[in-house]
Amino acid sequence: MTADLFQGWGAQLFWGTMVTLKVAFLSLLAGLAIGLAVALAKLSSARLLRVAGDIYTTCIRGTPELLIILLVYFGSTVALSAALRRIGGPDTHFEMPALGAGVLALSLVFGGYAAEIFRRAFLAIPAGQIEAARAFGMRPATLFIHIRLPLMWRYALPALGNIWISLIKNTSLISIVGLEELMRVSYVATSVTRSPFHFYVLAAVIYLTLTIANSLIIDMLETRANRGVRRV
């Protein structure tokens, strides 16, 4: 029955799902770092950093994710090939790996949305708690690590959970550059078996399972982050 369900493509779909999760988690880690750095830039007292942060988030949030993936994939290939020609000669060529291009592009997208979430979360921290920490003589670095970051995380987590779910679904866009993730494997399976509806439904079920499982994990993280918080 299982063999009929997957029509011999069970292993490929499994490994495609693993690649999807790999891309999603790598993009999450890099995107969180980018988002935090950009958020701090937007909150900086330096006007140049604020302007740079605003330009970044505006460009990322105003450009379709698919277009960003294509720009990163082809743009990085052109740029790196040009740089390598200066070293190795005019015939030197470099092609950006599909995995690297996908992770970089989705990290930039995630970071653009996360930056605004982090910025608003930092602004939502009650000023009294920051002033109390300063009154105890905390240094800026200690205050940031032990007070501002944990409080910010509590405010940012629900919105971050939403864009994390979107990130999982957006990994399907990387199939356009040839990465063998779930969507690409499903497309190849439909071409071989001539059963597009069957395999696209399977892919939809797998994506739905991933999003439901991650939504439950996010709910648990939110519950844990809000332990001890007094409800008014």
Side-chain angles (χ1 to χ4, degrees):
M1 183 174 178
T2 303
D4 292 336
L5 176 62
F6 297 109
Q7 298 184 20
W9 286 82
Q12 291 91 329
L13 289 170
F14 172 79
W15 289 113
T17 303
M18 292 300 100
V19 172
T20 290
L21 290 174
K22 180 180 180 180
V23 171
F25 280 112
L26 290 176
S27 300
L28 172 67
L29 295 176
L32 287 173
I34 293 172
L36 182 59
V38 175
L40 294 176
K42 289 167 71 75
L43 293 170
S44 171
S45 57
R47 185 173 181 274
L48 182 61
L49 290 177
R50 293 199 306 273
V51 170
D54 288 336
I55 291 174
Y56 173 77
T57 54
T58 300
C59 290
I60 291 296
R61 297 171 69 178
T63 306
E65 287 85 351
L66 180 59
L67 184 54
I68 293 176
I69 292 172
L70 293 174
L71 288 173
V72 169
Y73 180 69
F74 291 108
S76 57
T77 296
V78 171
L80 290 172
S81 294
L84 289 174
R85 286 192 195 101
R86 296 177 178 271
I87 302 173
D91 296 328
T92 305
H93 177 74
F94 175 84
E95 184 171 345
M96 183 69 169
L99 177 62
V103 170
L104 177 57
L106 292 181
S107 298
L108 293 174
V109 171
F110 188 91
Y113 287 93
E116 190 60 23
I117 292 171
F118 285 146
R119 185 187 72 84
R120 293 179 181 179
F122 276 124
L123 293 176
I125 298 175
Q129 299 197 33
I130 304 299
E131 292 172 0
R134 287 173 178 163
F136 275 103
M138 279 191 179
R139 295 183 178 182
T142 304
L143 188 150
F144 180 79
I145 294 173
H146 294 285
I147 303 296
R148 295 188 71 191
L149 268 184
L151 289 174
M152 181 276 294
W153 174 255
R154 179 181 296 166
Y155 290 113
L157 188 55
L160 284 177
N162 290 334
I163 61 172
W164 163 241
I165 296 300
S166 296
L167 174 62
I168 295 174
K169 294 183 290 184
N170 284 340
T171 57
S172 62
L173 299 174
I174 307 176
S175 61
I176 197 170
V177 296
L179 183 64
E180 295 292 326
E181 44 70 63
L182 176 58
M183 194 64 202
R184 178 71 177 178
V185 172
S186 300
Y187 171 77
V188 173
T190 65
S191 301
V192 174
T193 64
R194 305 295 182 183
S195 303
F197 181 77
H198 180 84
F199 280 98
Y200 287 142
V201 167
L202 280 177
V205 170
I206 294 172
Y207 280 115
L208 183 61
T209 302
L210 293 177
T211 54
I212 290 175
N214 280 274
S215 295
L216 294 174
I217 294 172
I218 292 167
D219 288 341
M220 289 189 292
L221 289 175
E222 287 184 35
T223 301
R224 182 179 179 85
N226 288 301
R227 285 188 309 177
V229 177
R230 180 180 298 176
R231 302 293 182 181
V232 179

